[in-house]
Amino acid sequence: MSLTLQSPPFSALSSSLQGRSRFLPGAGSTASNLVLFNNVRKSFPLIRASSSSLDTGSNTELDAVSSFSEIVPDTVIFDDFERFPPTAATVSSSLLLGICSLPDTVFRNAVEMALADSTCYGLENADLRLSCFVNKALVNVGGDLAKLVPGRVSTEVDPRLAYDTHGIIRKVHDLLKLYNEINVPPERLLFKIPSTWQGIEASRLLESEGIQTHLTFVYSFAQAAAAAQAGASVIQIFVGRLRDWARNHSGDPEIEAAISRGEDPGLALVTKAYNYIHKNGHKSKLMAAAVRNKQDLFSLLGVDYIIAPLKVLQSLKDSVTAPDEKYSFVRRLSPQSAALYNFSKEELVKWDQLSLASAMGPAAVDLLAGGLEGYVNQAKRVEELFGKIWPPPNV
């Protein structure tokens, strides 16, 4: 999605972003529940089991599965919000790039106001000025999203700080201060942090202050357990990416153990992480992302959040279940089943930097590095774009 600031430099740049006009930059939907809107003026309800989209008197599969988990649309196409109203949103560098590649969005003013901010404008250091503009743009857009969705808005923390605990904390405090200035309360916010050890430690410290964190790029049980011990509000696992890695690589003990049991490695990790969180009384909520098909979703029923692609949601919405069939959907994950799960002594350790590093297999190392690289590239592109279009008109 794109935002044209209607200045000659920006117009020239818009042509270079064509081909991405319907989708946000980047491979896949790394922002999970990222949503883009065009001329939206209303808030939306949660997707819950209620009335069917088909006038048949029967519930749909979407209604049925929504009674077990909160189903969040995974959309990067701004036209889709009417079909699947979003419950939450993520604001990120990827979103800013999207806003800057299409005309006529409700976020036009949010970015223009950021680029015209007098505090940022007065900074002589170009790098600090750009960083200020990006912070303002993220928060302005996040503030607009908070008015449009009933749930929380997750704000991406600069991925270049992934290995700097204190840098992450300073950045979150800066963003939180800006949100406070536009009257978005902390309880409506999450701060999205990569699950490096430094990111997990930052999450622990921020949560101790009452600041909600969203740890992403979790690809191993060690990361999930350490994140839960840190008290992260949301822990995000990418199911399909682990499956993709397993198809093309070998040598990861955790993945090979799952496959030897006849289990999908991504689904197995979500199940194990869920059981760990609930058996040990951690407060964290678990988010399953990169869900590729209905069977994935059915296998995860009971997990707190499922980020589902639109093709899966549409299939669920179009599939009608008779009243006696809706009870055939089985909750796979529950606190009761978690209580029966057995963990080894090695899995119940208090995780620290050394034990986490030694327990992360090649899949987690590769996927974490690849995810960070993509996020860093997007952050750099936003700064380059803002540098070219600043100052905007009337500044």
Side-chain angles (χ1 to χ4, degrees):
M1 167 175 197
S2 161
L3 171 72
T4 299
L5 301 184
Q6 296 188 347
S7 65
F10 193 91
S11 301
L13 261 168
S14 294
S15 62
S16 69
L17 291 170
Q18 288 179 359
R20 305 185 187 96
S21 59
R22 304 291 290 183
F23 301 90
L24 287 185
S29 181
T30 58
S32 67
N33 53 328
L34 181 65
V35 288
L36 301 178
F37 303 95
N38 192 40
N39 297 326
V40 184
R41 291 292 183 270
K42 60 183 180 178
S43 296
F44 303 105
L46 295 173
I47 296 179
R48 288 297 187 191
S50 54
S51 60
S52 169
S53 59
L54 305 176
D55 188 16
T56 62
S58 300
N59 285 337
T60 67
E61 288 183 345
L62 181 58
D63 294 324
V65 299
S66 295
S67 66
F68 296 100
S69 299
E70 184 168 324
I71 311 299
V72 183
D74 186 0
T75 177
V76 294
I77 312 175
F78 72 89
D79 291 333
D80 291 313
F81 71 88
E82 290 181 344
R83 285 192 295 149
F84 301 107
T87 62
T90 295
V91 57
S92 62
S93 295
S94 182
L95 177 56
L96 294 182
L97 287 171
I99 291 171
C100 293
S101 63
L102 287 176
D104 191 25
T105 79
V106 294
F107 299 120
R108 177 194 305 274
N109 188 61
V111 175
E112 285 184 338
M113 291 299 292
L115 291 172
D117 185 85
S118 59
T119 302
C120 301
Y121 185 87
L123 295 173
E124 294 184 5
N125 183 286
D127 291 337
L128 291 177
R129 186 166 60 241
L130 281 175
S131 178
C132 183
F133 285 147
V134 172
N135 286 351
K136 286 281 187 177
L138 288 170
V139 168
N140 287 353
V141 173
D144 284 351
L145 285 170
K147 299 172 185 176
L148 299 171
V149 299
R152 291 175 291 185
V153 174
S154 184
T155 304
E156 177 186 287
V157 175
D158 191 332
R160 289 166 292 190
L161 300 172
Y163 294 97
D164 181 355
T165 295
H166 296 294
I168 291 170
I169 292 171
R170 285 193 297 270
K171 178 65 73 172
V172 169
H173 285 162
D174 289 344
L175 293 169
L176 194 57
K177 180 180 178 181
L178 294 176
Y179 272 116
N180 183 61
E181 291 174 358
I182 60 172
N183 299 315
V184 179
E187 58 268 21
R188 294 293 313 281
L189 299 170
L190 289 164
F191 293 94
K192 193 172 185 179
I193 301 169
S195 293
T196 59
W197 171 253
Q198 292 80 1
I200 292 169
E201 182 67 2
S203 172
R204 182 183 69 81
L205 295 169
L206 289 165
E207 291 282 352
S208 72
E209 299 178 37
I211 299 171
Q212 299 179 107
T213 59
H214 170 183
L215 285 174
T216 188
F217 295 147
V218 173
Y219 297 108
S220 66
F221 172 74
Q223 286 174 290
Q229 288 180 3
S233 294
V234 175
I235 300 170
Q236 184 174 1
I237 295 174
F238 293 90
V239 174
R241 294 185 195 174
L242 277 165
R243 180 184 305 150
D244 294 341
W245 192 95
R247 286 172 177 164
N248 298 296
H249 303 83
S250 61
D252 188 292
E254 193 170 340
I255 285 180
E256 291 181 356
I259 293 174
S260 69
R261 298 191 301 267
E263 300 175 359
D264 176 89
L267 298 175
L269 178 57
V270 172
T271 299
K272 191 172 185 178
Y274 178 93
N275 289 337
Y276 180 86
I277 289 167
H278 285 273
K279 183 163 187 172
N280 294 285
H282 295 296
K283 72 168 189 176
S284 304
K285 302 296 185 183
L286 195 60
M287 175 183 288
V291 171
R292 300 285 169 75
N293 51 58
K294 288 203 295 187
Q295 189 55 52
D296 282 349
L297 194 148
F298 294 152
S299 299
L300 294 168
L301 292 182
V303 73
D304 301 289
Y305 307 106
I306 301 176
I307 310 300
L310 297 179
K311 65 178 182 179
V312 173
L313 292 182
Q314 191 63 56
S315 178
L316 292 169
K317 191 175 181 181
D318 291 341
S319 299
V320 178
T321 60
D324 59 339
E325 291 178 341
K326 67 181 179 180
Y327 300 107
S328 64
F329 290 90
V330 177
R331 178 168 184 167
R332 304 299 180 92
L333 303 175
S334 70
Q336 293 74 26
S337 62
L340 302 175
Y341 194 94
N342 292 318
F343 291 92
S344 68
K345 290 182 179 179
E346 293 77 15
E347 292 168 336
L348 294 174
V349 299
K350 175 64 177 176
W351 294 93
D352 57 24
Q353 185 171 6
L354 182 60
S355 59
L356 178 68
S358 62
M360 282 178 60
V365 171
D366 289 353
L367 291 167
L368 175 61
L372 282 173
E373 181 181 10
Y375 273 29
V376 167
N377 288 339
Q378 289 172 348
K380 289 179 178 177
R381 288 176 58 199
V382 169
E383 290 179 346
E384 291 170 1
L385 181 61
F386 281 12
K388 291 177 180 177
I389 64 177
W390 185 84
N394 305 317
V395 172

